[in-house]
């Protein structure tokens, strides 16, 4: 069908069923409304969204065992480990339907739990490598998890855990 990505090269699901719209996703006319809330997925912990726009919402992403740089006002936008601890700069962006063009997101295309997905790696910033996972969480609506960290600290397997965890919440004004 129109708008679908090319056939997946890799499948992480036992059977790669076509995406069925996630029940309950409501997108109010007022775009400045949060439609998801914090959740845990394996060693990843999505915080409540902190940014909202007409096209997307952004939430900080914390990872067990890593120091995040969203806790300090003067933190550098390029993550650096704090006092010898491993650190991460990571966020989840949830786009409204039609706001994200998956054809412009390059990388390995696959199916995760029946959802179209794309894994993208690079570039590196010093010791930190960028890994990103985009997936269609409901019809024509995508989410992107992005982490800048030491390559051994955050892998695609960690990011894939988010796919099943993202669920709608009761819409709340920003």
């Amino acid at each position: 069908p129109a708008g679908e990505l090319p056939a997946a090269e890799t499948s992480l699901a036992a059977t790669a069923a076509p995406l069925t719209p996630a029940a309950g996703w409501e997108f109010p006319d007022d775009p400045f409304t949060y439609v998801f809330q914090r959740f845990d997925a394996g060693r990843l912990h999505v915080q409540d969204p902190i940014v909202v726009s007409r096209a997307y919402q952004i939430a900080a992403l914390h990872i067990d065992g890593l120091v995040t740089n969203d806790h300090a006002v003067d933190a550098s936008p390029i993550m650096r480990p704090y006092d010898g601890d491993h650190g991460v700069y990571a966020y989840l962006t949830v786009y409204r339907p039609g706001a994200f063009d998956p054809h412009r997101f390059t990388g390995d295309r696959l199916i995760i739990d029946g959802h179209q997905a794309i894994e993208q790696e690079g570039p590196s910033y010093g010791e930190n490598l960028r890994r990103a996972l985009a997936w269609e969480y409901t019809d024509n609506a995508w989410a992107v998890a992005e982490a800048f960290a030491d390559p051994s600290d955050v892998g695609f397997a960690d990011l894939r855990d988010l796919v099943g965890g993202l669920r709608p919440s009761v819409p709340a004004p920003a």
Side-chain angles (χ1 to χ4, degrees):
E4 270 192 26
L5 295 173
E9 298 170 9
T10 308
S11 177
L12 296 176
T15 56
L19 175 72
T20 53
W25 284 102
E26 293 181 43
F27 298 93
D29 291 337
D30 177 6
F32 299 103
T33 302
Y34 295 122
V35 295
F36 76 100
Q37 61 189 17
R38 73 176 48 233
F39 66 95
D40 298 324
R43 58 186 286 248
L44 281 65
H45 309 281
V46 174
Q47 305 304 296
D48 285 328
I50 55 173
V51 175
V52 66
S53 78
R54 293 182 182 277
Y56 57 81
Q57 298 163 48
I58 300 174
L61 181 57
H62 296 181
I63 302 172
D64 290 344
L66 301 178
V67 175
T68 62
N69 78 338
D70 69 330
H71 61 81
V73 174
D74 61 351
S76 167
I78 297 175
M79 189 286 303
R80 292 187 180 90
Y82 300 100
D83 300 325
D85 291 332
H86 287 271
V88 64
Y89 174 77
Y91 287 91
L92 173 65
T93 304
V94 176
Y95 291 89
R96 289 175 70 93
F100 179 84
D101 183 358
H103 297 92
R104 297 182 62 142
F105 196 87
T106 60
D108 295 330
R109 298 186 185 289
L110 57 154
I111 301 294
I112 302 172
D113 295 334
H115 296 266
Q116 296 182 78
I118 308 164
E119 292 178 337
Q120 186 180 73
E121 188 171 87
S124 292
Y125 295 98
E127 300 292 318
N128 302 313
L129 176 67
R130 177 183 173 271
R131 286 197 170 115
L133 173 70
W135 73 95
E136 188 178 31
Y137 63 91
T138 194
D139 284 340
N140 198 30
W142 288 71
V144 178
E146 185 172 35
F148 293 86
D150 183 281
S152 64
D153 284 338
V154 181
F156 284 119
D158 296 312
L159 297 177
R160 290 177 199 136
D161 285 343
L162 296 170
V163 174
L166 179 62
R167 296 283 182 254
S169 66
V170 174

